Each structure stands twice: as C-alpha cells, then as structure tokens.
Coordinates of all heavy atoms in Angstrom, one line a residue:
G1 N 3.8 6.9 7.0 CA 4.4 8.1 6.4 C 5.5 7.8 5.4 O 6.1 8.8 4.9
C2 N 5.8 6.5 5.1 CA 6.9 6.2 4.2 C 6.5 6.6 2.8 O 5.5 6.3 2.3 CB 7.1 4.7 4.3 SG 8.6 4.2 3.3
R3 N 7.5 7.2 2.1 CA 7.4 7.5 0.7 C 8.7 7.1 -0.1 O 9.1 7.8 -1.0 CB 7.2 9.0 0.5 CG 6.0 9.6 1.2 CD 5.7 11.1 1.0 NE 5.5 11.3 -0.4 CZ 4.3 11.3 -1.0 NH1 3.2 10.9 -0.3 NH2 4.2 11.6 -2.3
A4 N 9.3 6.0 0.3 CA 10.6 5.6 -0.2 C 10.5 5.1 -1.6 O 11.6 5.2 -2.3 CB 11.2 4.5 0.7
C5 N 9.4 4.5 -2.1 CA 9.4 3.9 -3.4 C 8.5 4.8 -4.3 O 7.3 4.8 -4.2 CB 8.9 2.5 -3.4 SG 9.9 1.4 -2.3
D6 N 9.1 5.5 -5.3 CA 8.4 6.4 -6.1 C 7.3 5.7 -6.9 O 6.2 6.3 -7.0 CB 9.3 7.1 -7.1 CG 10.3 8.0 -6.4 OD1 10.1 8.4 -5.3 OD2 11.4 8.4 -7.0
R7 N 7.5 4.6 -7.4 CA 6.5 3.9 -8.2 C 5.3 3.5 -7.4 O 4.1 3.7 -7.8 CB 7.1 2.6 -8.9 CG 6.2 1.9 -9.9 CD 6.8 0.7 -10.4 NE 6.7 -0.5 -9.5 CZ 6.0 -1.6 -9.8 NH1 5.3 -1.7 -10.9 NH2 5.9 -2.5 -8.9
L8 N 5.5 3.0 -6.2 CA 4.5 2.6 -5.3 C 3.7 3.8 -4.8 O 2.4 3.8 -4.7 CB 5.0 1.8 -4.1 CG 5.7 0.5 -4.5 CD1 6.0 -0.3 -3.2 CD2 4.8 -0.4 -5.4
V9 N 4.4 4.9 -4.4 CA 3.7 6.1 -4.0 C 2.8 6.6 -5.1 O 1.6 7.0 -4.8 CB 4.7 7.2 -3.6 CG1 4.0 8.5 -3.3 CG2 5.5 6.8 -2.3
A10 N 3.3 6.7 -6.3 CA 2.5 7.2 -7.4 C 1.3 6.3 -7.7 O 0.1 6.8 -7.9 CB 3.3 7.3 -8.7
W11 N 1.4 5.0 -7.6 CA 0.3 4.1 -7.9 C -0.7 4.1 -6.8 O -1.9 4.2 -7.1 CB 0.8 2.7 -8.1 CG -0.2 1.6 -8.2 CD1 -0.6 0.7 -7.4 CD2 -1.1 1.5 -9.4 NE1 -1.7 -0.1 -7.9 CE2 -2.0 0.4 -9.1 CE3 -1.2 2.2 -10.6 CZ2 -3.0 0.0 -10.0 CZ3 -2.2 1.8 -11.5 CH2 -3.1 0.7 -11.2
R12 N -0.3 4.0 -5.5 CA -1.3 4.0 -4.4 C -2.1 5.3 -4.4 O -3.3 5.3 -4.1 CB -0.6 3.8 -3.1 CG 0.1 5.0 -2.5 CD 1.0 4.7 -1.4 NE 1.4 6.0 -0.7 CZ 2.5 6.2 -0.1 NH1 3.4 5.2 0.1 NH2 2.8 7.4 0.5
E13 N -1.5 6.4 -4.7 CA -2.2 7.7 -4.7 C -3.1 7.9 -5.9 O -4.1 8.5 -5.9 CB -1.2 8.8 -4.6 CG -0.5 8.8 -3.2 CD 0.5 9.9 -3.0 OE1 0.8 10.7 -4.0 OE2 1.1 10.0 -1.9
Q14 N -2.6 7.3 -7.1 CA -3.5 7.4 -8.3 C -4.7 6.6 -8.1 O -5.9 7.0 -8.4 CB -2.7 6.9 -9.5 CG -3.5 6.8 -10.8 CD -2.8 6.1 -11.9 OE1 -1.6 6.2 -12.0 NE2 -3.6 5.5 -12.8
V15 N -4.6 5.4 -7.5 CA -5.8 4.5 -7.2 C -6.7 5.3 -6.3 O -7.9 5.2 -6.4 CB -5.3 3.2 -6.7 CG1 -6.5 2.4 -6.2 CG2 -4.6 2.4 -7.7
A16 N -6.2 5.9 -5.3 CA -7.0 6.6 -4.3 C -7.7 7.8 -4.9 O -8.8 8.1 -4.4 CB -6.1 7.1 -3.1
R17 N -7.2 8.4 -5.9 CA -7.8 9.5 -6.6 C -8.9 9.0 -7.6 O -10.0 9.5 -7.6 CB -6.8 10.4 -7.4 CG -5.9 11.2 -6.5 CD -5.2 12.2 -7.4 NE -4.4 11.6 -8.5 CZ -3.2 11.2 -8.3 NH1 -2.5 11.3 -7.2 NH2 -2.5 10.6 -9.4
D18 N -8.5 8.0 -8.4 CA -9.4 7.5 -9.5 C -10.5 6.6 -8.9 O -11.6 6.7 -9.5 CB -8.6 6.8 -10.5 CG -7.6 7.7 -11.2 OD1 -7.7 8.9 -11.1 OD2 -6.7 7.1 -11.9
K19 N -10.2 5.8 -8.0 CA -11.2 4.9 -7.3 C -11.8 3.9 -8.2 O -11.8 4.1 -9.5 CB -12.3 5.7 -6.6 CG -11.7 6.8 -5.6 CD -12.8 7.5 -4.9 CE -12.2 8.5 -3.9 NZ -13.3 9.3 -3.1
R20 N -12.4 2.9 -7.7 CA -13.3 2.0 -8.4 C -14.7 2.5 -8.3 O -15.1 3.1 -7.3 CB -13.1 0.6 -7.8 CG -14.0 -0.5 -8.5 CD -13.6 -1.8 -8.0 NE -12.4 -2.3 -8.5 CZ -11.8 -3.5 -8.1 NH1 -12.3 -4.2 -7.1 NH2 -10.7 -3.8 -8.7
A21 N -15.5 2.3 -9.4 CA -16.8 2.8 -9.4 C -17.7 2.4 -8.2 O -18.4 3.2 -7.7 CB -17.5 2.3 -10.7
A22 N -17.5 1.2 -7.7 CA -18.3 0.7 -6.6 C -17.9 1.5 -5.3 O -18.7 1.5 -4.4 CB -18.0 -0.8 -6.4
F23 N -16.8 2.1 -5.3 CA -16.3 2.8 -4.0 C -16.1 4.3 -4.3 O -15.4 5.0 -3.5 CB -15.0 2.2 -3.5 CG -15.1 0.7 -3.4 CD1 -14.1 -0.1 -4.1 CD2 -16.0 0.1 -2.6 CE1 -14.2 -1.4 -4.0 CE2 -16.1 -1.3 -2.5 CZ -15.1 -2.1 -3.2
V24 N -16.8 4.9 -5.3 CA -16.5 6.2 -5.7 C -16.9 7.2 -4.6 O -16.3 8.3 -4.5 CB -17.3 6.6 -7.0 CG1 -18.8 6.6 -6.8 CG2 -16.8 7.9 -7.6
D25 N -17.8 6.8 -3.7 CA -18.2 7.8 -2.6 C -17.4 7.6 -1.4 O -17.7 8.3 -0.4 CB -19.7 7.5 -2.3 CG -20.0 6.1 -1.8 OD1 -19.2 5.2 -2.1 OD2 -21.0 5.9 -1.1

C-alpha cells in the first residue's frame, strides 16, 4: 500500500495501464 515516491508510483501504474504487447490480456 506504499505510495511514498511519486515518480515510482506514476511509473509502476503507467506500465500497468499501457502493458507490453505480449501481456496485453
């Protein structure tokens, strides 16, 4: 549940939204 680092929170969530094509599903 940690959200201490703004840059890391933004990146991890962006990657989770955009995904890699091989894992889009």
